[in-house]
Amino acid sequence: MIKISKTKKKKTIILTLIIFILLLTSAVIWSNSYIETENIIYSGSDIPEAFDGVKIVHLSDYHNHGGSYEDRLVSKIKSAEPDYIFLTGDQADSYLTDTDKVDSFFRKVSETAPCYLVWGNHEKSLDTNEFSKIKNSAENCGITILDGKSADIERDGQNITVTGTYSCPEDFSVYSEKNDSDGFNIWLHHFPEDFEKIADGTKSAGYQTDLMFSGHAHGGLIGLPFSGGLFAPGQGFFPEYTSGIYTYNGSSMIVSRGLGNSSVTLRLFDPFHLVVCELERKNDSNH
């Protein structure tokens, strides 16, 4: 029987621990610096012909990251060649607020494509002065702010409707004038946990949310195999809606894992997430 000395055992344990720490450190660095681009094709028969092939870049939870990271992110956004950009909240961070970084980001993305924005919980938590700066910056950049409003996006004489909310509406009928029951309707809303309520509410009001864009969940913070992540604000442990596309009651939702971290929050196996959604018109004969 071969005996292993205590000294050799100790060295093996130390070496194993060092390797584990190095691998974990590498995973943390990768998760908090790498930007993953996910291309999603959304098909629907209600998409107007003029919007067939349109690309939408979805940005959420930037948390005024700034620096060289901003340059890398903007470069990726531009390379996607979007027709429109949707910003679904928390472009600012209420803990480590830097309005100059938000302004810089707004200026660069608004030069790339027409932008539509809704606020997240971090913007709504800012003091009045900081929020005014960010709101004015968005307006000065020509970004359309949808704070409980709907807007038509026109392309070659055809329209789609985009509605944006912060609080989940109690009465969805107030948006029925803009949202056509036979048209294509998009909803921007920071909180994915409200998806089912919005899908049911719009259908009950006589129209339908075809496609919703959300963020907030940060991918569950820690990526787990065969799961949506460990924890998400508003959903708790093992959240249902964290990343990618979901369907419910005739509606679909695309969730971004976000493009920044709030305060000192870190991710693991959960890299930053740039969503590129291409609209594809489905012929009625194939529907």
Side-chain angles (χ1 to χ4, degrees):
M1 185 176 180
I2 300 174
K3 292 184 178 181
I4 301 174
S5 67
K6 289 184 179 180
T7 302
K8 193 169 184 180
K9 280 183 179 180
K10 188 175 181 181
K11 286 182 179 179
T12 302
I13 292 171
I14 292 173
L15 180 61
T16 302
L17 185 60
I18 290 172
I19 292 173
F20 174 77
I21 292 172
L22 288 174
L23 289 173
L24 183 62
T25 301
S26 299
V28 170
I29 292 171
W30 174 78
S31 298
N32 293 277
S33 59
Y34 180 70
I35 305 169
E36 177 188 357
T37 300
E38 182 177 8
N39 295 286
I40 297 174
I41 295 177
Y42 174 84
S43 299
S45 58
D46 290 334
I47 296 172
E49 288 184 10
F51 288 84
D52 185 31
V54 157
K55 285 185 180 180
I56 298 166
V57 161
H58 176 204
L59 310 175
S60 193
D61 300 272
Y62 176 65
H63 290 282
N64 51 243
H65 205 302
S68 61
Y69 174 81
E70 179 190 84
D71 295 330
R72 287 197 294 120
L73 175 57
V74 170
S75 177
K76 279 183 170 286
I77 293 169
K78 289 182 177 180
S79 67
E81 299 182 335
D83 296 286
Y84 306 99
I85 295 174
F86 293 163
L87 300 101
T88 57
D90 286 2
Q91 308 309 320
D93 188 90
S94 59
Y95 299 112
L96 300 171
T97 308
D98 191 325
T99 55
D100 290 338
K101 288 180 179 178
V102 180
D103 179 68
S104 174
F105 187 60
F106 280 167
R107 282 188 289 105
K108 290 176 182 178
V109 298
S110 64
E111 291 169 356
T112 305
C115 296
Y116 296 81
L117 172 150
V118 293
W119 304 120
N121 52 293
H122 277 260
E123 283 93 6
K124 291 291 188 176
S125 297
L126 296 175
D127 65 39
T128 304
N129 183 51
E130 289 174 330
F131 180 74
S132 294
K133 285 182 180 179
I134 290 172
K135 185 173 182 289
N136 290 338
S137 172
E139 291 173 341
N140 291 336
C141 291
I143 296 173
T144 301
I145 300 172
L146 298 173
D147 193 3
K149 297 178 181 178
S150 297
D152 287 332
I153 299 179
E154 184 176 342
R155 191 177 183 87
D156 297 335
Q158 295 182 311
N159 291 49
I160 63 174
T161 301
V162 181
T163 301
T165 49
Y166 173 72
S167 299
C168 190
E170 293 297 327
D171 180 10
F172 288 88
S173 65
V174 298
Y175 299 102
S176 59
E177 183 178 345
K178 276 280 190 180
N179 288 267
D180 188 349
S181 59
D182 296 322
F184 186 68
N185 305 311
I186 292 175
W187 204 286
L188 308 185
H189 188 78
H190 184 62
F191 308 100
E193 58 267 29
D194 291 333
F195 175 44
E196 295 176 17
K197 186 175 181 180
I198 290 173
D200 288 338
T202 54
K203 185 166 275 191
S204 295
Y207 57 99
Q208 178 171 297
T209 295
D210 294 290
L211 182 58
M212 177 170 153
F213 290 86
S214 290
H216 189 56
H218 287 228
L221 292 178
I222 297 177
L224 300 174
F226 313 111
S227 174
L230 180 64
F231 179 85
Q235 298 183 70
F237 286 98
F238 308 110
E240 183 176 1
Y241 301 123
T242 57
S243 177
I245 190 163
Y246 303 87
T247 58
Y248 169 79
N249 196 15
S251 297
S252 296
M253 173 176 66
I254 294 175
V255 180
S256 167
R257 295 195 305 273
L259 292 159
N261 290 324
S262 172
S263 185
V264 295
T265 303
L266 291 177
R267 300 161 176 249
L268 183 61
F269 308 121
D270 176 31
F272 298 134
H273 192 202
L274 178 66
V275 176
V276 182
C277 174
E278 181 177 345
L279 302 181
E280 179 183 73
R281 177 176 171 81
K282 186 186 295 183
N283 293 328
D284 289 330
S285 58
N286 298 327
H287 184 59

